[in-house]
Amino acid sequence: IGARNAAHLWWLMPVEAVAVSAGIAMWRGFHNLGASLFATGALGFILFFLWRKPPSLWTRFDDGTGRTFLLWFWQRPLAYIERPTRESGPVLVLPRLFGSLRLTGDRAVTALASLLPRINGADCAGADLDAVVATVTQAEKDRRKQPVKLGRSARRRMRGKYQPPPTRRDQRTWEVLARDMPSVWFANAHPQLRLALEMAVTEEIERRQLAERTETLVEEWQDEEEIGAISDDLLLPDGVHERLDELRKK
């Protein structure tokens, strides 16, 4: 992310060079300092806006099932993240031509990991990455907090009303961050929060891939253990296992 932000900032140099060159050319052509300054400021503002939010007709994303969708530019203001509740996690709502696409869990993580690197562009280049990391760290601490236990009198009142004690669903780091997202298109949220969400969903996918790799390694390890046991028995003389069993009984 730091290298990406640095690359975005390097693009500011040609933007400024074009604006200043246009102002100098107008001043030399018309000998009007006020007009040249106005042209430099107006062109610089337009180029800065295009640098900050480059025009894009659509944005591609993966819904977590291997299918690729297009999110058109007029659909972006209508997409948002529903805040998580005590029972369910956040819901990523993406508008479609007919209805809307609602993604939760791993599908929402995959879609966000596909969307955020494309959306967190030049407008996030000036964000403080130390503050972003601190935001993710605080979200991890909030995730590890256990629910507060009810007192004895509160539990007695709950039993008297035949109501089960409230339980809190364990949330992941990206879900804790999504809790602080505004209920609008997340491209309009604070750059620091968007970068933190990108870090969290990327880490979530990495953990998922590591878990899948671990399961594969466990299966390979079990197969190798079976093969090793068979190859060890091939060189043993007959009757060794029976003799070991007798010694164990003694």
Side-chain angles (χ1 to χ4, degrees):
I1 290 177
R4 186 179 67 194
N5 290 349
H8 284 304
L9 290 175
W10 275 105
W11 276 103
L12 269 181
M13 296 181 64
V15 168
E16 296 174 356
V18 169
V20 174
S21 299
I24 294 175
M26 178 169 287
W27 176 69
R28 294 187 62 180
F30 298 96
H31 299 285
N32 190 331
L33 182 60
S36 63
L37 292 177
F38 176 78
T40 302
L43 183 60
F45 176 78
I46 295 173
L47 292 177
F48 177 80
F49 181 79
L50 294 177
W51 167 83
R52 184 177 175 84
K53 289 182 179 288
S56 176
L57 187 60
W58 65 74
T59 304
R60 295 181 181 271
F61 70 93
D62 187 0
D63 70 336
T65 60
R67 296 183 299 173
T68 302
F69 292 89
L70 297 180
L71 190 67
W72 298 92
F73 69 93
W74 66 81
Q75 294 174 337
R76 293 176 185 174
L78 303 177
Y80 61 97
I81 296 179
E82 289 184 357
R83 290 186 177 92
T85 61
R86 191 180 287 255
E87 294 80 14
S88 62
V91 180
L92 177 62
V93 183
L94 301 172
R96 310 301 301 158
L97 294 178
F98 303 99
S100 60
L101 184 64
R102 301 174 63 87
L103 303 177
T104 58
D106 293 338
R107 295 183 64 189
V109 171
T110 305
L112 286 172
S114 178
L115 280 171
L116 287 173
R118 297 178 175 88
I119 294 173
N120 293 342
D123 56 343
C124 295
D128 186 1
L129 291 184
D130 292 335
V132 173
V133 174
T135 302
V136 178
T137 304
Q138 184 61 40
E140 291 177 349
K141 292 180 180 179
D142 294 341
R143 179 181 62 85
R144 296 190 186 100
K145 289 181 179 179
Q146 298 296 326
V148 179
K149 294 183 179 180
L150 295 177
R152 183 177 300 176
S153 58
R155 292 198 302 269
R156 189 181 300 113
R157 288 195 301 269
M158 297 293 291
R159 286 195 297 268
K161 296 180 181 179
Y162 300 100
Q163 294 180 0
T167 58
R168 189 179 70 175
R169 175 182 171 274
D170 292 334
Q171 293 182 343
R172 290 176 284 186
T173 304
W174 77 274
E175 294 177 336
V176 176
L177 291 171
R179 182 181 60 195
D180 300 328
M181 295 288 291
S183 295
V184 294
W185 174 238
F186 43 83
N188 296 329
H190 195 276
Q192 177 178 321
L193 189 57
R194 281 158 43 197
L195 287 176
L197 185 61
E198 180 183 350
M199 288 183 182
V201 295
T202 304
E203 184 179 3
E204 187 71 27
I205 289 182
E206 290 175 353
R207 288 179 178 175
R208 190 195 312 169
Q209 293 175 348
L210 286 175
E212 295 174 357
R213 179 58 180 163
T214 302
E215 294 177 358
T216 304
L217 289 176
V218 168
E219 295 176 358
E220 294 177 356
W221 172 76
Q222 291 175 350
D223 295 338
E224 292 177 358
E225 285 289 328
E226 294 178 0
I227 296 173
I230 295 173
S231 60
D232 289 341
D233 292 341
L234 291 177
L235 301 178
L236 288 178
D238 297 336
V240 172
H241 285 292
E242 290 78 4
R243 180 59 178 164
L244 288 175
D245 292 338
E246 293 177 358
L247 292 174
R248 288 193 187 98
K249 291 178 181 179
K250 294 181 180 180

